[in-house]
Amino acid sequence: MNVYDSARMSDVLRPLGYQPVDLPDAADMIILNTCHIRDKAAEKVFSELGRLRLIKEARAAEGHPTVIAVAGCVAQAEGQEILRRAPYVDIVLGPQTYHRLPEMVARAARAGGAVIDTDFPAEQKFDFLPDTEAPQTPGNLTSFLTIQEGCDKFCSFCVVPYTRGAESSRRVASVLAEARRMAQSGVRDITLLGQNVNAYHGEGENGEIWDLPRLAYALAEIPGLSRIRYMTSHPRDMTDALIEAHRDLPQLMPFLHLPVQAGSDRVLTAMNRGHTADEYREIVRKLRAVRPDLALSSDFIVGHPGETDEDFEATMQLVRDVKFALAYSFKYSQRPGTPAAGAPLQVPEHVKDTRLQALQALLREQQDEFNATLVGKTFPVLFTGEGRKPGQITGRSPWLQPVHVLGPRHLIGQELSVKITERLTNSLSGELVEETEYA
Ligand code: 5AD
Ligand code: SF4
């Protein structure tokens, strides 16, 4: 979502005469868009700011002022702390106020001190942002599109409800208009974004509330959008209607990010996830019944307060049962202000390390196994660019792996059948089956 937000900040600043540059040394304004989800991400902000201070000083010596802004969830959560530790920062803005950036830039130019805006405004920023312009990827064939933000679920470990705010959905008309513009500019593969994307409940033209499956059916009507994805979903909002959309819509890609976090019911309860491990297994069963080629990715946390060896073994068992094509796993990180941070029975660091290693080894095995099942198969690949080797072009599989083939450059932008011949560590190679575009 920060990638999408950064592109929108760039859109909002363009009318003021700003354009993106490659290096911070050449920039009149530097915006750090930050993440607060784990301690490591948040700490990185301060080390990065230290580097930017040197750039600001060097440029000042040459007579060029530099505006430094900190955006995103660290700004939201630690605005005052940022100004205390890095007084050379000019602007601090939360994720819900970046439509006000032009005003903040003007105020920063006038004001002696820093400008800070970490409100949760009543207005929706999407109603105030200019139309999307900045291409997010070369050739603009793939794109993110935020449709929902924030979260009311309050998992024990998570800062999102405090940093991104309450769950809120973007209006249907605004989403559809942006999707159409993207499709017209050549986007083929779109990823709908939200911290709880499948809890989407956007307001339609006549005040009716649309859910995610209804939105997906409408998006599938847009010419050119041949691939639709959404993330991140919560198991509790994986409704039957959404599962049926996976049956009905070939555009909905057979690859779903569905974080489960843990496989022990005791830990799931402590985490306030609101479902059991078996309920998760059941959702997966239903999804695979309607879309047998559906692959899953997930997020895991090891070492949540109170997690025992037995609990951890239940996570390993869930992984063995479900089989994931891809997964992200993390050591539990204490986040200020969250219920789990102050909970008793914090798990020692070395125990988290051991569990993380075991889990990651199993997940790596499953990722390799999944990729191995694709060797010999033929499926559509959306070609997005040139490959690393001469004569190669590269694209995305329906499951998001990079796929390399030998082929002419003019095929970039097309979706073509490829037969996979080999599995590499994090990608696949194959050969073009025919040079006809996938309908
Ligand atoms: N510690 C470790 N991982 C976390 N995540 C969220 N909060 C924490 C935390 N405090 C992970 C979850 C979530 C992903 C985006 O980040 O797995 O799904
Ligand atoms: Fe965080 Fe997701 Fe839980 Fe919301 S549902 S609190 S975003 S982990």
Side-chain angles (χ1 to χ4, degrees):
M1 189 175 282
N2 273 7
V3 172
Y4 177 85
D5 287 347
S6 298
R8 300 313 305 267
M9 284 188 235
S10 177
D11 291 339
V12 99
L13 290 171
R14 196 169 292 111
L16 274 67
Y18 288 97
Q19 323 168 5
V21 289
D22 291 332
L23 294 171
D25 319 54
D28 299 318
M29 167 150 60
I30 300 170
I31 307 178
L32 274 191
N33 199 7
T34 63
C35 176
H36 201 243
I37 197 84
R38 283 171 296 276
D39 192 44
K40 241 193 212 160
E43 272 309 311
K44 248 197 232 164
V45 176
F46 289 100
S47 51
E48 197 60 39
L49 278 174
R51 271 194 285 281
L52 294 184
R53 173 195 195 157
L54 300 179
I55 292 176
K56 183 167 177 153
E57 285 171 358
R59 281 174 53 90
E62 288 166 15
H64 303 302
T66 313
V67 176
I68 297 184
V70 182
C73 290
V74 178
Q76 187 67 43
E78 299 188 32
Q80 294 301 340
E81 176 72 0
I82 290 171
L83 294 180
R84 196 183 62 76
R85 283 174 67 178
Y88 45 89
V89 167
D90 303 284
I91 297 175
V92 171
L93 71 153
Q96 302 311 339
T97 55
Y98 60 76
H99 56 298
R100 297 177 180 166
L101 245 177
E103 185 190 320
M104 288 182 235
V105 173
R107 263 166 54 207
R110 282 197 307 271
V115 175
I116 175 160
D117 192 345
T118 49
D119 281 2
F120 288 112
E123 80 263 17
Q124 275 203 359
K125 63 176 174 266
F126 298 111
D127 295 340
F128 294 87
L129 290 168
D131 292 352
T132 338
E133 276 185 48
Q136 297 167 23
T137 53
N140 222 10
L141 288 155
T142 66
S143 191
F144 292 127
L145 200 180
T146 294
I147 65 167
Q148 180 279 337
E149 270 186 83
C151 180
D152 295 337
K153 293 203 169 63
F154 293 91
C155 298
S156 62
F157 51 83
C158 185
V159 286
V160 166
Y162 314 98
T163 55
R164 285 268 170 185
E167 207 168 288
S168 114
S169 295
R170 188 169 167 183
R171 273 178 263 289
V172 172
S174 165
V175 171
L176 291 179
E178 186 166 350
R180 281 193 201 102
R181 277 198 305 276
M182 285 178 172
Q184 270 159 14
S185 80
V187 170
R188 308 286 297 268
D189 184 325
I190 200 169
T191 303
L192 309 175
L193 297 179
Q195 276 85 32
N196 258 279
V197 73
N198 60 340
Y200 179 82
H201 55 279
E203 199 181 313
E205 294 284 61
N206 52 8
E208 247 187 324
I209 298 299
W210 289 40
D211 59 7
L212 182 61
R214 184 161 175 198
L215 185 69
Y217 286 99
L219 288 166
E221 303 269 308
I222 298 178
L225 282 189
S226 54
R227 298 174 160 205
I228 301 170
R229 312 169 187 277
Y230 55 94
M231 76 172 184
T232 292
S233 294
H234 194 291
R236 259 153 74 186
D237 296 311
M238 214 60 226
T239 58
D240 286 342
L242 184 53
I243 294 172
E244 281 156 22
H246 279 273
R247 177 196 64 201
D248 299 342
L249 296 175
Q251 290 92 336
L252 268 188
M253 286 292 98
F255 186 47
L256 181 67
H257 186 59
L258 193 62
V260 63
Q261 315 295 357
S264 140
D265 289 344
R266 234 174 47 84
V267 173
L268 287 169
T269 303
M271 286 179 162
N272 193 31
R273 292 289 291 175
H275 66 85
T276 63
D278 277 347
E279 279 162 356
Y280 185 87
R281 287 181 177 89
E282 178 59 15
I283 293 165
V284 172
R285 190 197 61 74
K286 283 192 202 167
L287 279 161
R288 285 181 170 149
V290 299
R291 224 25 248 249
D293 60 344
L294 186 113
L296 285 151
S297 75
S298 200
D299 290 343
F300 294 90
I301 295 176
V302 300
H304 183 272
E307 186 188 71
T308 62
D309 284 341
E310 197 185 345
D311 292 322
F312 174 66
E313 178 46 36
T315 297
M316 294 290 276
Q317 192 53 47
L318 179 98
V319 173
R320 285 182 212 110
D321 293 344
V322 173
K323 295 195 170 57
F324 294 93
L326 184 72
Y328 305 90
S329 44
F330 313 99
K331 288 191 280 184
Y332 167 71
S333 161
Q334 270 174 300
R335 307 309 291 128
T338 58
L345 303 172
Q346 297 286 332
V347 174
E349 210 51 30
H350 70 273
V351 176
K352 289 188 207 167
D353 282 327
T354 317
R355 288 180 190 164
L356 187 68
Q357 267 181 23
L359 177 62
Q360 289 189 337
L362 177 60
L363 291 167
R364 177 79 237 180
E365 235 173 74
Q366 295 197 341
Q367 184 179 344
D368 290 347
E369 268 166 36
F370 175 71
N371 288 346
T373 63
L374 298 179
V375 176
K377 293 224 167 79
T378 299
F379 50 75
V381 170
L382 174 64
F383 287 102
T384 51
E386 285 180 61
R388 268 196 227 130
K389 295 192 194 142
Q392 261 189 353
I393 53 174
T394 188
R396 280 181 164 195
S397 80
W399 305 276
L400 287 183
Q401 298 101 334
V403 180
H404 315 288
V405 305
L406 280 176
R409 289 200 49 202
H410 70 84
L411 297 182
I412 295 169
Q414 296 189 26
E415 197 173 349
L416 301 165
S417 281
V418 169
K419 182 171 183 187
I420 300 304
T421 51
E422 198 187 347
R423 167 176 73 84
L424 311 166
T425 317
N426 289 309
S427 62
L428 302 165
S429 61
E431 51 202 33
L432 287 165
V433 172
E434 51 186 335
E435 287 196 15
T436 50
E437 184 147 6
Y438 231 82

